[in-house]
Amino acid sequence: MKLSADERAMLDGAEGEAKRIAMEGLVQLGEAFGAEDMVEIGYAHIHAGMALYLHDVELMEDLAGIGAKMAVPASSNIANADMTSWRQTGAPEKLVRLQQRAEAAHHKLGSACSFTCTPYWAGHWPTWNTHMTSIESTVTVFCNSVLGARSNRDGFFAVYAGIAGRYPRFGYHLDINRRGTHRVRIEAPLETVSDFSALGFHIGRLVGEGVPVLEGFARRPSLDELDALGATLATAGGVALFILPGVTPPFASLEQAFGGRVPDDAIVTRRTDLEAVYDQFTTGDGRFDLVHVGCPHASFEEMRHYASLLDGKRIRDGVSLWVTTSRQVRQMAADAGIVATLERAGAKVVSDTCPMSCHFARTTSPDPALGVAPPTLRAIVVDSAKQAKYVRDMIRCDTLLTGTEQAIASALGGEFVPRFGGQR
């Protein structure tokens, strides 16, 4: 790779051991993917340090211990426990204390302790053409597709990129890769954020790691709808960029999105495709232990919507309702009286984590000394196809996928309310 004098100095250790380690890893990454040189990044969304994985928190502590600092604005990804209100989730205290060590390491590293999969709702909003790095697929696809930033799906290399302020120039950092591969015409009726989640899951399965170009929406989707769409495109497939002309910078037309060669054939999505996704993730006998909304972590607008559905009501005894969001949005919602409304209704407002990322997961490798024993759950009602997929994979219980309004109604009534009448 061609390195600048500053980059060579980092690699040679002139700027300290932490930057040497970071640059060494980034050069290896770049050479593996044929990158010619590095780009300067303006933002990094980095690994939290996960307490449910043996020695993972220590990785972040070791970097902080040798003086590593973030060279660019950085936020931290979702963690394995709510580090302030953990008792309401039933998390083992030893697990929480270990997760709090990761938070201390992030303070030393200079990263914002957001611990969320939606840092943009917490104020991290990289602008058009900003080269960035992200460990979280939801962040990558939102920043690429809605904000016009440039990011790959990076794993732990996001930490190294944040330390060095550099990233190899390959993948979606190159214009040639930011073009459409599949034309998708939307004919499915989309009424809720959950419908956009189901739509993304359906399309993601069809396009894999491609770049779908979307047309036919009856109206301009909201930011929350675009967030839900991107999250499941990245979950069901490997999508890191979708293009919606007129929304995704700088694409104003199908012609521009496809580099002048618009395919005649298109994937057409219909209501039956949405119904199939809801049906796929609705299993079991209808009984459930938990209702969850807020995947990806809820925005302030979503929090306000949940409160409007619960104001003056009370969830059914024996039902647990989790509302997950970032700690920053939770604070804004608390200031607005939203958290109080949710808690009066019996909901638990949870930050830093979510069901699939907390001690419920059965596919982790924690230190046995932490005493983590995942509870036995019959089913979880969810309003996100992303959460449904990972609940199946990680918690290994049944799911009941429905719309947000129906999920809240399920919590209030104690019986599952499906999104569509024919849903089993």
Side-chain angles (χ1 to χ4, degrees):
M1 292 182 65
K2 179 181 178 181
L3 300 180
S4 68
D6 288 343
E7 291 159 359
R8 176 62 61 182
M10 283 191 273
L11 184 61
D12 291 342
E15 296 191 27
E17 180 66 4
K19 287 195 174 183
R20 186 197 67 77
I21 292 171
M23 278 300 296
E24 186 177 79
L26 293 170
V27 168
Q28 290 175 356
L29 176 66
E31 289 177 344
F33 283 90
E36 294 184 1
D37 60 359
M38 298 274 183
V39 297
E40 294 188 21
I41 65 169
Y43 168 61
H45 183 65
I46 68 173
H47 186 55
M50 305 293 271
L52 279 172
Y53 296 85
L54 189 63
H55 301 313
D56 199 74
V57 169
E58 288 83 350
L59 288 175
M60 306 306 293
E61 290 179 322
D62 289 347
L63 286 170
I66 60 173
K69 298 288 184 184
M70 290 293 116
V72 295
S75 53
S76 55
N77 199 34
I78 199 164
N80 291 144
D82 184 327
M83 285 171 267
T84 55
S85 302
W86 54 274
R87 288 183 176 84
Q88 68 174 337
T89 69
E93 183 171 358
K94 289 182 179 179
L95 175 72
V96 176
R97 299 307 177 205
L98 178 58
Q99 193 63 74
Q100 290 171 338
R101 282 169 46 189
E103 181 178 22
H106 276 280
H107 283 303
K108 293 179 181 178
L109 290 167
S111 51
C113 292
S114 53
F115 297 107
T116 182
C117 56
T118 56
Y120 26 89
W121 304 147
H124 299 275
W125 198 265
T127 52
W128 179 29
N129 275 334
T130 298
H131 291 282
M132 55 166 281
T133 182
S134 170
I135 192 171
E136 166 62 48
S137 63
T138 295
V139 176
T140 297
V141 71
F142 186 89
C143 291
N144 276 332
S145 310
V146 181
L147 306 184
R150 295 170 177 255
S151 180
N152 294 328
R153 297 170 63 151
D154 293 321
F156 195 83
F157 287 102
V159 177
Y160 291 155
I163 293 170
R166 301 290 194 278
Y167 187 87
R169 192 190 304 269
F170 73 92
Y172 292 99
H173 295 274
L174 297 170
D175 287 340
I176 194 171
N177 295 320
R178 300 178 71 85
R179 295 178 182 174
T181 60
H182 298 75
R183 184 178 181 180
V184 182
R185 184 176 300 118
I186 311 301
E187 294 184 2
L190 301 166
E191 300 174 3
T192 69
V193 172
S194 303
D195 288 349
F196 279 82
S197 177
L199 176 68
F201 198 90
H202 170 68
I203 296 171
R205 287 189 295 198
L206 297 177
V207 306
E209 295 183 353
V211 179
V213 178
L214 312 178
E215 61 175 329
F217 287 107
R219 56 174 173 77
R220 183 187 179 97
S222 70
L223 288 172
D224 289 321
E225 290 166 341
L226 292 169
D227 190 30
L229 173 68
T232 47
L233 280 167
T235 298
V239 175
L241 166 67
F242 68 85
I243 298 174
L244 177 53
V247 171
T248 306
F251 304 102
S253 65
L254 288 175
E255 290 73 17
Q256 191 178 4
F258 284 105
R261 298 182 178 181
V262 180
D264 293 329
D265 295 332
I267 297 169
V268 179
T269 64
R270 298 180 173 88
R271 172 176 167 142
T272 53
D273 299 317
L274 303 187
E275 291 174 341
V277 174
Y278 281 106
D279 195 57
Q280 174 186 347
F281 290 113
T282 300
T283 56
D285 60 8
R287 294 181 297 172
F288 56 88
D289 306 287
L290 174 67
V291 176
H292 170 245
V293 295
C295 176
H297 270 176
S299 68
F300 179 83
E301 294 302 320
E302 288 176 306
M303 295 289 285
R304 189 164 63 174
H305 181 51
Y306 304 151
S308 73
L309 297 171
L310 287 164
D311 192 13
K313 301 173 184 177
R314 184 76 186 177
I315 66 171
R316 180 63 64 91
D317 290 344
V319 174
S320 183
L321 171 61
W322 281 27
V323 176
T324 56
T325 188
S326 69
R327 53 177 64 179
Q328 292 81 9
V329 170
R330 180 169 66 179
Q331 184 60 54
M332 289 190 291
D335 292 344
I338 291 170
V339 170
T341 298
L342 295 171
E343 291 181 340
R344 278 196 301 271
K348 298 176 181 179
V349 180
V350 177
S351 295
D352 303 339
T353 193
C354 70
M356 69 182 182
S357 294
C358 74
H359 61 286
F360 293 172
R362 296 179 176 274
T363 55
T364 58
S365 55
D367 184 339
L370 296 177
V372 177
T376 299
L377 299 172
R378 291 173 296 186
I380 301 177
V381 177
V382 295
D383 66 345
S384 160
K386 174 179 180 175
Q387 186 74 204
K389 171 69 165 61
Y390 288 121
V391 165
R392 293 278 190 87
D393 290 350
M394 301 183 71
I395 300 178
R396 295 181 175 173
C397 70
D398 286 319
T399 56
L400 298 166
L401 175 62
T402 189
T404 300
E405 294 75 11
Q406 291 80 17
I408 297 295
S410 299
L412 291 170
E415 294 184 359
F416 175 60
V417 180
R419 170 70 180 90
F420 293 112
Q423 191 176 339
R424 59 183 173 88

